[in-house]
Every structure is written in structure tokens, then in C-alpha cells.
Amino acid sequence: MKMERFQDWLQIIGLVGVIISLIFVGRQLELDRRIAIGEAWMQYTDTQVSLAGLIGENADVWLAGLAGEELSEADSLRFRQIAYAIEQKYAGRYNRSVLGVRTGPAEGIVVEFAHDLYAHPGLRRAVLSRWERLDSMYGRERDFFSKVRSYLARLDSGEVQPAPQGNFVH
């Protein structure tokens, strides 16, 4: 009888140890998640600062490109590089939202980017021509591309009213 009680106590102690271990692992996972989100935010902030600097250093090219004005070959390259950085910013925000790392709906990012492309013909031309090249290379369209194009079509058809645009600085 004593041996059975002793074994029962050992099982209870073992079970409590497992539960405490699981609680510790859960807390550690939550801490790691918070650290990862903080690091992602810092990286995003650094990227935003760099992007703002790139636009600021090339403001004349950026503004002319947004308006769809004719650019020299060198300026066109600069504009396409900035447009690519803007596109990646939106795509990254979209992907982080889809993965649940970023708060807010991914669809809001699609809508925001589509409105920016609609309002700025040069940006639209640069981004969509790049997407067409990628589509032909890979034979498929990415989810983000598809959703932005679909919303742009709704803007173009008048189904959705364009958002008022301020100065596009990002």
C-alpha cells in the first residue's frame, strides 16, 4: 500500500513538472514572438527612413516620374528603383498582415497601394510593367499582384471612387 501511494505521488510530481515545463515553454515562445515583432518593427522603421532619404535625394526625379513625365535614361533608372522600393514596402506589409505578424487587414494595404498607383501614372506604369515581366517569366501571378490589379480595375471602371491624394512622399 505504501509503495502504491509513493508511486502515485511520484506520478503527480512528474505531472506537475510537465505542466510547469509547458507553461515555461509557452512563456518563452511568447517572449520570442514579441522580440521578433519588435525586431521586425525596427527593421521596417529603418527601411522607411532609408526610403524617405532616397526619395528626398531624388525628389525632382520622383515627382516627375510620379506624374508620368519623360525622364532621361539615368533618371528613369532612379525612378524605377524608388518605385521598386515602394512596391516592396507594400508587398512586405501585405505579407506580414497575411502571416499575422502585422496588425490590420491585408486588404487595406491592397486598397492603399491601388489608390496610390491609380493617382500616379508613372508609378503605375513602372510597377505594372515590372509585374508583367515577372508574370511572363514565372507564368503565374502572385496573390498580392492579382488583388492590386483587381482593385485598380474597379477604380478604372468607376465602381470605386478614388481616394483624395495629398503629397505622395512615403
Side-chain angles (χ1 to χ4, degrees):
M1 183 77 152
K2 276 187 160 183
M3 189 56 114
E4 289 175 6
R5 289 196 83 180
F6 180 70
Q7 286 178 343
D8 288 345
W9 277 107
L10 283 177
Q11 287 180 347
I12 290 171
I13 291 170
L15 182 60
V16 168
V18 168
I19 291 171
I20 290 172
S21 295
L22 288 174
I23 290 170
F24 176 75
V25 168
R27 292 180 72 118
Q28 186 62 44
L29 287 172
E30 177 60 23
L31 179 62
D32 290 346
R33 182 182 158 281
R34 286 181 177 191
I35 290 170
I37 289 171
E39 288 174 352
W41 180 251
M42 291 295 290
Q43 185 179 24
Y44 177 74
T45 302
D46 289 346
T47 301
Q48 286 297 100
V49 169
S50 296
L51 182 56
L54 181 62
I55 291 171
E57 291 167 7
N58 298 284
D60 56 336
V61 172
W62 179 240
L63 293 173
L66 284 178
E69 295 174 12
E70 190 69 33
L71 299 172
S72 71
E73 193 172 322
D75 286 347
S76 179
L77 175 61
R78 281 188 202 94
F79 180 76
R80 286 193 316 272
Q81 289 171 329
I82 298 171
Y84 176 72
I86 294 288
E87 172 198 337
Q88 291 307 301
K89 178 190 95 160
Y90 277 107
R93 287 174 58 206
Y94 175 82
N95 289 329
R96 286 192 308 277
S97 289
V98 168
L99 294 172
V101 177
R102 178 187 180 278
T103 58
E107 296 308 313
I109 295 160
V110 167
V111 169
E112 184 182 344
F113 192 37
H115 279 278
D116 283 343
L117 294 177
Y118 182 82
H120 305 286
L123 181 63
R124 180 178 185 161
R125 188 171 40 251
V127 168
L128 294 184
S129 67
R130 187 178 113 62
W131 289 359
E132 288 168 8
R133 284 192 312 277
L134 289 174
D135 290 348
S136 67
M137 286 170 45
Y138 298 113
R140 62 181 166 73
E141 184 174 62
R142 291 183 186 167
D143 183 51
F144 178 65
F145 295 0
S146 173
K147 288 182 178 189
V148 171
R149 283 179 173 149
S150 175
Y151 198 86
L152 269 172
R154 293 175 63 200
L155 283 165
D156 290 339
S157 72
E159 179 184 341
V160 176
Q161 292 301 308
Q165 292 291 316
N167 289 335
F168 184 78
V169 180
H170 285 271

